[in-house]
Amino acid sequence: MADQYNTNEEKILKDSHTKEIDLINRDPKQINEDVVKVDFEDVIAEPDGTHSMDGVWKVSYTTFTVSKYWCYRVLSAIFGIPVALLWGFCFACISFCHIWAVMPCIKSYLIETQCLSRIYSLCIHTFCDPLFEALGKIFSSVRVALRKEV
């Protein structure tokens, strides 16, 4: 039973680092849906009355599409892995700072403010509550009569 538990634990640990990626849908959360999805029609458009020759329009479309496709592929082949390494390092540093510096500082601050809050509350209840209670008793016997004179 213990061997089965250790095997499952190792499998879960291994699976978290070797997650299968989807090679078809590479933007499953659609974070770049509106930002970088640019087609020929989004950039170049000829209004009515100013049309180029049909052949020029077709070749322009093909040139734009193919050059965008291959330029992206070449740039991602050259810079993709180094940039991924850089961003992985950057987010690892952010996670490290958040886990080991930010959250302990926030927790420490909350502990200190809770202590100060109790002292403040104690002072208010000790000094202000009796004062306001006495003032309330003094003014509780005041009666106000509102008359409307015509």
Side-chain angles (χ1 to χ4, degrees):
M1 185 71 157
D3 291 335
Q4 182 183 7
Y5 177 74
N6 288 339
T7 307
N8 288 341
E9 188 177 297
E10 289 173 9
K11 185 177 181 182
I12 291 169
L13 189 61
K14 184 178 179 183
D15 288 345
S16 68
H17 296 295
T18 59
K19 178 181 158 185
E20 296 231 4
I21 58 172
D22 188 358
L23 294 176
I24 305 300
N25 182 11
R26 297 186 184 192
D27 190 6
K29 295 182 181 177
Q30 283 123 16
I31 61 173
N32 291 315
E33 191 63 30
D34 297 331
V35 181
V36 293
K37 189 176 178 182
V38 179
D39 290 326
F40 181 75
E41 298 84 11
D42 298 327
V43 178
I44 300 172
E46 293 181 332
D48 290 335
T50 53
H51 286 189
S52 60
M53 294 179 280
D54 291 346
V56 171
W57 188 251
K58 288 178 183 177
V59 170
S60 297
Y61 173 81
T62 305
T63 303
F64 177 88
T65 306
V66 170
S67 64
K68 183 183 87 160
Y69 177 78
W70 281 105
C71 183
Y72 176 78
R73 285 202 149 195
V74 168
L75 287 172
S76 63
I78 295 169
F79 298 110
I81 294 172
V83 170
L85 180 67
L86 179 70
W87 282 116
F89 180 75
C90 179
F91 281 106
C93 290
I94 290 170
S95 297
F96 177 82
C97 287
H98 188 75
I99 292 166
W100 292 99
V102 173
M103 286 310 293
C105 285
I106 290 173
K107 190 65 172 179
S108 172
Y109 175 76
L110 291 174
I111 291 169
E112 293 300 321
T113 56
Q114 185 178 22
C115 179
L116 293 174
S117 168
R118 286 185 179 168
I119 292 170
Y120 177 76
S121 176
L122 182 62
C123 289
I124 293 295
H125 289 305
T126 302
F127 300 112
C128 294
D129 281 358
L131 174 68
F132 290 120
E133 207 172 292
L135 288 172
K137 285 182 181 179
I138 290 171
F139 291 114
S140 67
S141 61
V142 174
R143 301 282 181 233
V144 177
L146 185 63
R147 288 187 300 174
K148 187 175 184 182
E149 292 184 22
V150 180

